[in-house]
Amino acid sequence: MLTCLDALFTPRLHQCSIFNNDNSPSMEMSEIITGAHAVASPCGSYVASLSAAKLRISSTWTPERYTHINIRPVKDVTALKWSQDSNRLAILSPQHVEVVCLDDAHHRVRLDNGSGGLGRFASVDFVGADHLLVIWEFGKAKLWSLSEGKGVELADVKTVTGGQAWQIRPGHTTATSQVLAILTRQGSDDLLNIYFPHLHKQLSSTKLSTVDAQSISWSPDGRWLTVLDTPTAPSSVHIFTPDGHLFRTYPSSTDSSTMSLGIKSAIWSSDSRVLALTRHDSRILLLNTRTFAPLAIIEHSTTIDQRSSPPDQQSPIWQESVTASGQRSYIPVSHPVSPPLSKPKSTADPADFGIAEARFNCTGSHLATRDERMLNTVWIWDMSSLVAHAVLIQHSNVRRLRWHPTRPDMLLLDCGERIPYIFSIASAQPPTPFEANMPFNLTFTWAETPATSNLAFLAISKTTLRIMYPEGQPSPNDEEGTTAPQANPPNTVFDEGNSDDSLFDVLSGRKPLPPKTEPSYTERIDWEVETEEENSLVRVDDTFREKRRKSVQKAPATSMILDPLDDSEIF
């Protein structure tokens, strides 16, 4: 049921100063919003969170306007997942998956795990707009069609990997053109499977020469596919054509003996022109994606010294300092400089050595990297000149880097101190810190707003969130492609049974919200369903209520061979 309830509190935007002096930068932010598993929609216009068995969908720009969606009572919700078109939202729990369609308030899909003979639901993801990939904790996986209510088993999917075991081919958004590449394992062999979800048909299955394949990734243009093997394998990276034919392995058999460990990760540039292979020896190999020949090798030296270069060609180095009163500032550091080394770890895990993180910006023009030996230092490399653009030495270790999805000059740094930093590579200024004013362990993530829009990012804890606007909150007329919602009129609700408006119409404030004079259609149906369930063993769900009632006396015909342990159902 969709309902715009009265706010328990009235979120307001207020100015928050970072420092105590008059020239300090300031930003706007929402009040703290109660809600777990907060996640922004791919379109950047909405933020979803879960609170008190209700799904809250807020506008990114005016979070005081929101819509509550009643969901079936579930325990231990583990994640919320948006579809790529921002039209559907999946609520994952160990025994249930519920899918809410945001532009059709009456359409619900619910997947029941039955007796749980295959274990708990471990993950759920949208595959395109009409399919749902569900993986159980014991390795079982099914691809469910949301329109047909049918599931197709994907046998032997690799569920324990170091990265993503499946991915939709980029650039193919229509249902009839979607291609799913997925890793499976039969016995001791890894297989690469190319699958067409709309046809429920597998194109090919290629046996891999890998020891234990860890992840799969398409190039952003969809022309190449990489499979990453365990770092102890002789050849760690395998490059395939879209139809599953092997094109190249790296390192090859002739040069694999020169490396003690293989590749740690493979990262495509956003323009698909470069493939970056991070290694355990703190170097990054850049490959040209036309021939996959080496372009350059990036090295992270413990001493940065560019005195041999002209002063105007030396990379700026900014080092953060923090006073006893908590004031933060940056000073330019002259060459040479040795960043402080991270505390040594007493582990032999290969993942704790080499490159910690490498990320391209949205145009592929710059690459931001971190090294495990110097976790408080961020290198930013210019891909056109293949030299360092800037070096940032933080007071604390950097936990993660996030480039803005649409603005290539904006980099977000999370140092685990409840203080996000924003660095613009287009300016000559150091990073700007912003205080979130939340007494929790926070993570920060961008909202994917248009490139012409003001910046917005989320500060997320386990049970709360706050939306932050470093450049201020724009007015509704300033936003392109989205209408910023206005504040809810007092004492009004949205009744899904008496309005033709979709959720997006409600959030956008295009029409006044009608007063609620009687229980909504969904409320009445829910009461009827609860009464029926008390007197019958037949399970009925919101999605296909009428269809289910007409067919409960007749068992559905199927040609599939059912797993005796699999009694999951989709409604």
Side-chain angles (χ1 to χ4, degrees):
M1 181 178 64
L2 298 180
T3 309
C4 282
L5 300 179
D6 294 336
L8 298 178
F9 52 85
T10 304
R12 298 179 303 276
L13 294 174
H14 63 279
Q15 295 289 334
C16 174
S17 295
I18 300 175
F19 304 115
N20 296 324
N21 55 61
D22 294 336
N23 296 325
S24 64
S26 61
M27 72 182 303
E28 291 181 333
M29 61 177 67
S30 71
E31 292 287 351
I32 298 177
I33 301 171
T34 301
H37 310 291
V39 59
S41 64
C43 69
S45 299
Y46 309 101
V47 178
S49 60
L50 190 67
S51 178
K54 292 183 179 180
L55 186 65
R56 171 179 170 139
I57 310 295
S58 306
S59 167
T60 301
W61 300 113
T62 51
E64 64 268 22
R65 183 173 182 89
Y66 60 89
T67 295
H68 270 152
I69 302 176
N70 288 347
I71 58 177
R72 289 293 186 88
V74 293
K75 296 181 179 179
D76 304 324
V77 172
T78 57
L80 301 179
K81 295 290 184 69
W82 285 96
S83 61
Q84 191 58 38
D85 60 2
S86 302
N87 187 34
R88 286 174 171 171
L89 195 67
I91 302 101
L92 171 66
S93 65
Q95 294 298 321
H96 303 282
V97 176
E98 184 168 358
V99 179
V100 178
C101 187
L102 273 63
D103 66 354
D104 184 355
H106 305 288
H107 184 71
R108 299 287 183 88
V109 176
R110 185 178 175 87
L111 178 61
D112 192 302
N113 196 20
S115 61
L118 301 173
R120 301 173 299 174
F121 287 136
S123 66
V124 61
D125 286 283
F126 286 95
V127 177
D130 195 49
H131 289 82
L132 199 68
L133 178 62
V134 180
I135 300 178
W136 281 260
E137 64 175 332
F138 296 151
K140 182 88 172 197
K142 272 191 175 182
L143 188 63
W144 294 92
S145 172
L146 297 177
S147 59
E148 299 175 3
K150 297 180 180 179
V152 178
E153 181 178 347
L154 303 178
D156 306 313
V157 174
K158 296 201 70 169
T159 57
V160 180
T161 63
Q164 191 166 350
W166 65 270
Q167 190 179 19
I168 283 284
R169 185 183 181 188
H172 296 71
T173 57
T174 61
T176 57
S177 64
Q178 289 174 349
V179 179
L180 173 66
I182 190 166
L183 291 175
T184 63
R185 189 173 182 91
Q186 295 181 358
S188 60
D189 297 326
D190 288 326
L191 301 176
L192 172 62
N193 300 278
I194 306 298
Y195 190 79
F196 290 92
H198 71 287
L199 296 177
H200 306 294
K201 181 180 180 181
Q202 182 172 303
L203 171 65
S204 64
S205 180
T206 303
K207 181 179 177 180
L208 303 176
S209 58
T210 54
V211 176
D212 185 11
Q214 295 297 300
S215 65
I216 191 172
S217 63
W218 286 98
S219 61
D221 60 5
R223 297 181 59 188
W224 302 101
L225 178 67
T226 61
V227 175
L228 183 67
D229 200 358
T230 181
T232 57
S235 297
S236 302
V237 176
H238 303 258
I239 303 169
F240 293 85
T241 58
D243 55 357
H245 287 83
L246 181 64
F247 178 77
R248 175 80 185 271
T249 62
Y250 190 88
S252 63
S253 57
T254 58
D255 57 5
S256 59
S257 59
T258 62
M259 299 178 61
S260 58
L261 281 175
I263 306 302
K264 190 173 184 179
S265 64
I267 303 101
W268 294 97
S269 66
S270 306
D271 57 5
S272 302
R273 298 177 61 185
V274 176
L275 177 62
L277 305 180
T278 68
R279 297 171 24 168
H280 291 81
D281 58 0
S282 298
R283 295 192 293 174
I284 300 177
L285 177 64
L286 303 179
L287 302 180
N288 182 344
T289 56
R290 298 190 64 179
T291 61
F292 292 97
L295 284 175
I297 294 179
I298 294 176
E299 298 195 32
H300 295 75
S301 176
T302 56
T303 300
I304 305 172
D305 189 357
Q306 295 183 342
R307 288 177 295 178
S308 60
S309 301
D312 59 340
Q313 297 181 11
Q314 295 180 7
S315 304
I317 302 175
W318 295 101
Q319 185 166 12
E320 182 188 23
S321 62
V322 181
T323 65
S325 60
Q327 290 186 339
R328 299 171 183 270
S329 61
Y330 283 87
I331 57 173
V333 181
S334 59
H335 297 264
V337 60
S338 297
L341 298 179
S342 303
K343 191 174 181 178
K345 300 179 180 180
S346 59
T347 176
D349 189 346
D352 294 329
F353 301 94
I355 302 301
E357 189 175 16
R359 291 183 180 273
F360 285 97
N361 66 351
C362 63
T363 60
S365 62
H366 289 79
L367 172 68
T369 63
R370 293 190 298 122
D371 190 293
E372 289 284 356
R373 299 171 299 171
M374 300 160 282
L375 290 175
N376 65 338
T377 304
V378 177
W379 280 265
I380 300 174
W381 308 90
D382 189 334
M383 299 306 296
S384 62
S385 58
L386 296 177
V387 297
H389 175 80
V391 179
L392 312 177
I393 303 177
Q394 297 294 115
H395 179 264
S396 301
N397 288 346
V398 180
R399 294 196 304 180
R400 59 183 61 87
L401 305 171
R402 293 291 184 270
W403 289 101
H404 192 274
T406 58
R407 289 175 59 170
D409 60 320
M410 291 297 174
L411 178 65
L412 179 65
L413 282 66
D414 182 0
C415 297
E417 295 181 318
R418 301 189 296 273
I419 298 177
Y421 297 79
I422 294 181
F423 177 65
S424 174
I425 61 175
S427 71
Q429 300 300 316
T432 302
F434 295 98
E435 175 61 61
N437 288 333
M438 296 174 68
F440 313 104
N441 185 21
L442 302 176
T443 58
F444 301 98
T445 179
W446 290 111
E448 191 167 344
T449 53
T452 56
S453 169
N454 286 20
L455 296 175
F457 63 90
L458 308 183
I460 304 172
S461 71
K462 288 185 178 180
T463 58
T464 59
L465 71 142
R466 168 172 270 171
I467 306 177
M468 308 181 71
Y469 310 95
E471 299 172 336
Q473 185 199 24
S475 63
N477 294 332
D478 292 338
E479 291 307 304
E480 290 186 3
T482 181
T483 304
Q486 304 299 317
N488 277 335
N491 302 320
T492 58
V493 295
F494 169 61
D495 183 355
E496 63 175 281
N498 297 328
S499 173
D500 294 330
D501 293 341
S502 69
L503 172 71
F504 303 119
D505 295 326
V506 175
L507 286 178
S508 64
R510 295 187 180 117
K511 296 181 180 180
L513 300 179
K516 182 175 180 179
T517 58
E518 60 181 6
S520 69
Y521 170 78
T522 305
E523 287 177 327
R524 296 195 299 270
I525 291 297
D526 285 339
W527 292 337
E528 294 175 9
V529 170
E530 290 175 1
T531 303
E532 291 179 5
E533 288 181 342
E534 291 177 357
N535 301 317
S536 174
L537 295 179
V538 178
R539 285 177 298 200
V540 183
D541 200 78
D542 301 13
T543 311
F544 308 113
R545 286 193 181 95
E546 301 301 328
K547 180 179 178 180
R548 182 74 173 176
R549 288 172 181 165
K550 294 177 182 179
S551 60
V552 292
Q553 303 298 332
K554 181 179 179 181
T558 179
S559 60
M560 297 176 59
I561 300 177
L562 300 179
D563 188 328
L565 296 178
D566 180 12
D567 56 353
S568 60
E569 296 181 81
I570 190 168
F571 301 96

